[in-house]
Amino acid sequence: MQRIARILRYAMGLLAIGLVIWSFYDVGHRTVGSMLGGPEADVTLTVLHWGTPEEEQIVQDMIDAFEAEHPGVKVQRIHAAAYDAKLKTMLAAGTPPDLFYLKPDWVGDFAESGMLLDLEPYAQQEREAGQADWLDDFYPELMNAYRWDDQRGITGGSGRLIGLPKDFTPAVMYINVDLFRQAGYSDPQLEAVHTSGWTWAMYREAMERIATLSPEDSPSQRIFGGTIKHWGDPMRNLFWSFGATVAGGEEGEDFTDLQLDSEAGLSCMRFIRDVRLIDKSVLNPSGLSQNDDDLFIRGRIGCLGPYGRWFTPKLQDVDFDWDVVPIPHAQGVEPSSFLFSVAWAVSSQTNHPDEAFELLKSLTDKVGQERTAQSGLAMPASRSVANSPAFLDSGMGPEHIRVFLDSAENGRLPHFPRLPQFNRIFESQMKQTLVLDAVPPEQAAADVKSLWASELASPLYTKQYRKMPWLTVIGVTAVVVAIALAGLVLIARREKLGSLAGAEQRTGWLFISPWVIGFVLLVIGPILLALLLSLTKWSAMAPLSEARYVGLDNYQHMFAYDPEYAHSLWVTVYFTLLAVPTTQVAALLIAVLMNVKVRGIEAWRTVYFLPSVVTGVALVTLWIAMFDNDRGVINALIEFVGLPAPDWFGADGGVFAIPAIVIMCLWGVGGGMVIYLAGLKNIPAPLYEAARIVGAGPVRQFFNITLPMLSPLIFFNLVMGI
């Protein structure tokens, strides 16, 4: 048996070594082959995208057709649900996809970092060859969305073409026709809205009338007149509909001159607040409330938007009549619609730019756009396809599908500044005034201006930096490592060890060498690299060679130009001071209870430990059900005892959000309980017997014996908790 066990150990060891060698060989072989290529080698292109299973199939079918027409080209398709993370990981690893989806607000960051291939020379070749009809068929506004003007630092204009539109959708409003009819609107009245549009005054009246349809005896089944999407892109559309712009300049491209505090901009914000917070005819989705998309599908919302065509497939099985109408506009303001879009872009690091452009042409041709149109997910980016039966007679609806076409003719694409932080600031402050009612519109507009001005004033954006001298850094690091190793060798030689002790020392180093090497390469190495990168200005989507040395300016920006840093630090400290003691005390008390010798205690220990290993969707669903504003179990219990229920993560989040998260942390105290329980089992029983002899009760025993004996474990758990 011992011989068999020895043979198995050797076999497993050889197998592990073989797997490691094969993995290194495979990666190295593919990397070298990709770098060397050669005229005889097949061309391999990688495509990264997101989408529904139906969209996956559309992309795969187009790739299959392309490979059939180009037998020397192979295409590897990668579908990523977590698309942003996947793309950034591939870019940071130096293995970018040849083609990938590009969002309009990414254009500046990607273009300025040199990660996108300039498509203008290829477009010019198409025109010179008389084959540019497919290019000229794109909606001009969509083409402008994927041009980058290096001089002005904005999208649009006559800048470089760095993407070709895949598809798009104008923003519209989805309506529950049945609710509108129940509220007294006739079909001719609705037809007039479909064809001629409506004003915000008409919208407000309609929302109030629909809200009155709510059943008085069932508050949980309340009907809302509508819901207004308030994230960045729809919010810009709402500003336009009131005659306002977010930024100044002829086309709203001057982001040094924000216009949120114009009278039109303030009117927009006041209107949204009024219908949400005063009329209460429009759903105000603060905190963990019911999803407005889901409420519309269930027939409890009369009007939802601004939204794109991607919502259409979700409405195929609803049991009410639905349709789309244009976005309302203020009296005297021209209607307008935000154009949501996505493009195909080519990486500047592709080894096969010509083949990549040919694939790009194939992915944006009319056949693929017709398939997308028939799926109901979006509108074709080509005018001819958008006006063809492929879109108009797709069978996906709605009845007035031409509202999409009419809205596209009134469509607008906003300019985006180079710094992506603007959207974060804008959306955050709009939520403060429109959802949480924390500040008035005037204050929100002023806060956006102040925060954005602080961002722009940072030395990170006002100075010019040279590239990080990586060769010098590597050289200095090599010298330091060499000196350290030489020092260790000298120390080792000074030690007078016998042959046996020397052999034991070498054997010890041999055994711990895998851990030491892993620690240096996978722990110390990344820590030192992160420290060095904190002294640079670098996008994780660009190679390390593009990092620029900024010294301590990142830290200066954090402390002096980022007002959210101090608040974030305080919230973290507050959470730590509240969560760590609470969870440790709870774990210790439960462990004491589980240490009692009663029948069935093993089952109770399992019950208390199981929640600590529950993760994912089940856990999310549980806590949403607990903290939901409308139907949450916790709020129901609070209201049952006659107290006002808080909006845990919404309007009352400043007070209740952290305690709510601490309550969630209590769900996982089973792990700490097991550690404490093991410690309790190891406390010598004679200590308790002696305490009982001298008359010490349970409380005194706990503080004089249990806690001192558990102090090492308490210290460990506190350190890990912090």
Side-chain angles (χ1 to χ4, degrees), residues 52 54-55 167-174 231 293 304-316 322-325 327 337-341 369-381 385-386 388-405 407-408:
T52 63
E54 188 170 6
E55 186 171 355
D167 55 40
F168 82 109
T169 173
V172 297
M173 307 293 280
Y174 286 81
W231 42 281
D293 290 3
L304 175 141
Y307 232 12
R309 182 161 172 77
W310 64 78
F311 193 55
T312 297
K314 298 181 180 180
L315 300 175
Q316 299 308 302
W322 65 276
D323 214 326
V324 294
V325 296
I327 294 173
S337 179
F338 189 101
L339 298 182
F340 300 95
S341 67
Q369 294 197 43
E370 287 176 353
R371 290 283 305 277
T372 301
Q374 292 164 359
S375 71
L377 294 168
M379 278 183 63
V385 182
S388 71
F391 175 69
L392 297 175
D393 300 329
S394 63
M396 299 294 293
E399 179 182 348
H400 291 83
I401 194 171
R402 281 200 166 270
V403 169
F404 285 103
L405 288 175
S407 298

Side-chain angles (χ1 to χ4, degrees), residues 408-421:
E409 294 299 328
N410 297 326
R412 293 172 61 179
L413 276 160
H415 294 286
F416 290 97
R418 178 177 59 86
L419 301 180
Q421 290 89 336

Side-chain angles (χ1 to χ4, degrees), residues 147-216:
R147 291 187 179 276
W148 179 250
D149 191 322
D150 291 290
Q151 292 184 344
R152 295 192 296 167
I154 58 170
T155 53
S158 57
R160 293 181 288 136
L161 180 64
I162 54 179
L164 288 181
K166 168 190 169 287
D167 55 40
F168 82 109
T169 173
V172 297
M173 307 293 280
Y174 286 81
I175 65 170
N176 182 323
V177 178
D178 290 349
L179 287 180
F180 271 81
R181 288 170 178 160
Q182 293 176 34
Y185 288 92
S186 64
D187 288 344
Q189 287 176 304
L190 293 176
E191 184 66 29
V193 174
H194 290 302
T195 57
S196 304
W198 51 338
T199 65
W200 282 114
M202 296 167 61
Y203 171 91
R204 186 172 189 174
E205 178 187 356
M207 299 305 98
E208 291 175 346
R209 290 168 63 173
I210 293 174
T212 61
L213 301 174
S214 299
E216 296 182 1

